[in-house]
Coordinates of all heavy atoms in Angstrom, one line a residue:
Y163 N -49.5 -26.7 1.1 CA -48.7 -25.7 0.4 C -48.4 -24.5 1.4 O -47.3 -23.9 1.4 CB -49.4 -25.2 -0.8 CG -48.7 -24.1 -1.6 CD1 -47.7 -24.4 -2.5 CD2 -49.0 -22.8 -1.4 CE1 -47.0 -23.5 -3.2 CE2 -48.3 -21.8 -2.1 CZ -47.3 -22.1 -3.0 OH -46.6 -21.2 -3.7
W166 N -45.4 -25.1 3.5 CA -44.2 -24.9 2.9 C -43.8 -23.5 2.7 O -42.6 -23.2 2.7 CB -44.2 -25.6 1.5 CG -44.1 -27.1 1.6 CD1 -45.1 -28.0 1.4 CD2 -42.9 -27.8 1.8 NE1 -44.6 -29.3 1.6 CE2 -43.2 -29.2 1.8 CE3 -41.5 -27.5 2.0 CZ2 -42.3 -30.2 2.0 CZ3 -40.6 -28.5 2.2 CH2 -41.0 -29.8 2.2
F177 N -42.5 -13.1 -0.9 CA -42.5 -12.9 -2.4 C -44.0 -12.6 -2.8 O -44.9 -12.8 -2.1 CB -42.0 -14.1 -3.2 CG -42.7 -15.4 -3.0 CD1 -43.7 -15.7 -3.8 CD2 -42.3 -16.3 -2.0 CE1 -44.4 -16.9 -3.7 CE2 -42.9 -17.5 -1.9 CZ -44.0 -17.8 -2.7
S201 N -37.7 -32.5 3.3 CA -36.9 -31.3 3.3 C -37.1 -30.4 2.1 O -36.7 -29.2 2.1 CB -35.4 -31.6 3.5 OG -35.0 -32.4 2.3
S202 N -37.7 -31.0 1.0 CA -37.9 -30.2 -0.2 C -39.1 -30.7 -0.9 O -39.5 -31.9 -0.7 CB -36.7 -30.2 -1.1 OG -36.4 -31.6 -1.5
I203 N -39.6 -29.9 -1.8 CA -40.8 -30.3 -2.6 C -40.8 -29.4 -3.8 O -40.4 -28.2 -3.8 CB -42.1 -30.2 -1.8 CG1 -43.2 -30.9 -2.6 CG2 -42.5 -28.7 -1.6 CD1 -44.5 -31.1 -1.8
C204 N -41.3 -29.9 -4.9 CA -41.5 -29.2 -6.2 C -42.9 -29.2 -6.6 O -43.5 -30.3 -6.8 CB -40.6 -29.7 -7.3 SG -40.7 -28.8 -8.8
Y205 N -43.5 -28.1 -6.7 CA -44.9 -27.9 -7.2 C -44.7 -27.6 -8.7 O -44.5 -26.5 -9.1 CB -45.7 -26.9 -6.5 CG -46.1 -27.2 -5.1 CD1 -45.3 -27.0 -4.0 CD2 -47.3 -27.8 -4.9 CE1 -45.7 -27.4 -2.7 CE2 -47.8 -28.2 -3.6 CZ -46.9 -28.0 -2.5 OH -47.3 -28.3 -1.3
Q206 N -44.8 -28.6 -9.6 CA -44.4 -28.5 -11.0 C -45.4 -27.6 -11.7 O -45.0 -26.7 -12.5 CB -44.3 -29.8 -11.6 CG -43.2 -30.7 -11.1 CD -43.0 -32.0 -11.9 OE1 -43.5 -32.1 -13.0 NE2 -42.3 -32.9 -11.3
A208 N -47.3 -25.2 -10.5 CA -47.2 -23.9 -10.0 C -45.8 -23.3 -10.2 O -45.6 -22.1 -10.0 CB -47.5 -23.8 -8.5
R209 N -44.9 -24.1 -10.7 CA -43.5 -23.7 -10.9 C -42.8 -23.2 -9.6 O -42.2 -22.1 -9.6 CB -43.4 -22.6 -12.0 CG -44.1 -22.9 -13.3 CD -43.3 -24.1 -14.0 NE -43.7 -24.2 -15.4 CZ -44.7 -25.0 -15.8 NH1 -45.4 -25.7 -14.9 NH2 -45.0 -25.1 -17.1
M210 N -43.1 -23.9 -8.5 CA -42.5 -23.5 -7.2 C -41.7 -24.6 -6.6 O -42.1 -25.8 -6.6 CB -43.6 -23.1 -6.3 CG -44.4 -21.9 -6.6 SD -43.5 -20.4 -6.6 CE -43.0 -20.3 -4.9
Y211 N -40.5 -24.3 -6.1 CA -39.6 -25.2 -5.4 C -39.3 -24.7 -4.1 O -39.0 -23.5 -3.9 CB -38.4 -25.5 -6.2 CG -37.4 -26.4 -5.5 CD1 -37.5 -27.7 -5.5 CD2 -36.3 -25.8 -4.8 CE1 -36.6 -28.6 -4.8 CE2 -35.4 -26.6 -4.1 CZ -35.6 -28.0 -4.1 OH -34.7 -28.8 -3.4
F212 N -39.4 -25.6 -3.1 CA -39.1 -25.2 -1.7 C -38.1 -26.1 -1.1 O -38.1 -27.3 -1.4 CB -40.4 -25.3 -0.8 CG -41.5 -24.3 -1.1 CD1 -42.5 -24.7 -2.0 CD2 -41.5 -23.1 -0.5 CE1 -43.5 -23.8 -2.3 CE2 -42.5 -22.2 -0.8 CZ -43.5 -22.5 -1.7
Y213 N -37.1 -25.5 -0.4 CA -36.1 -26.3 0.4 C -36.1 -25.8 1.8 O -35.9 -24.6 2.0 CB -34.8 -26.2 -0.3 CG -33.7 -26.9 0.5 CD1 -33.6 -28.3 0.6 CD2 -32.8 -26.1 1.3 CE1 -32.7 -28.9 1.4 CE2 -31.8 -26.8 2.1 CZ -31.8 -28.2 2.1 OH -30.8 -28.8 2.9
H214 N -36.3 -26.7 2.7 CA -36.2 -26.3 4.1 C -34.9 -26.8 4.8 O -34.6 -28.0 4.6 CB -37.4 -26.9 4.9 CG -38.7 -26.2 4.6 ND1 -39.9 -26.7 5.1 CD2 -39.0 -25.1 3.9 CE1 -40.9 -25.8 4.7 NE2 -40.3 -24.9 4.0

Side-chain angles (χ1 to χ4, degrees):
Y163 179 81
W166 282 103
F177 60 88
S201 61
S202 64
I203 192 170
C204 180
Y205 286 88
Q206 295 185 16
R209 306 293 194 270
M210 294 296 296
Y211 174 79
F212 293 92
Y213 174 73
H214 286 175

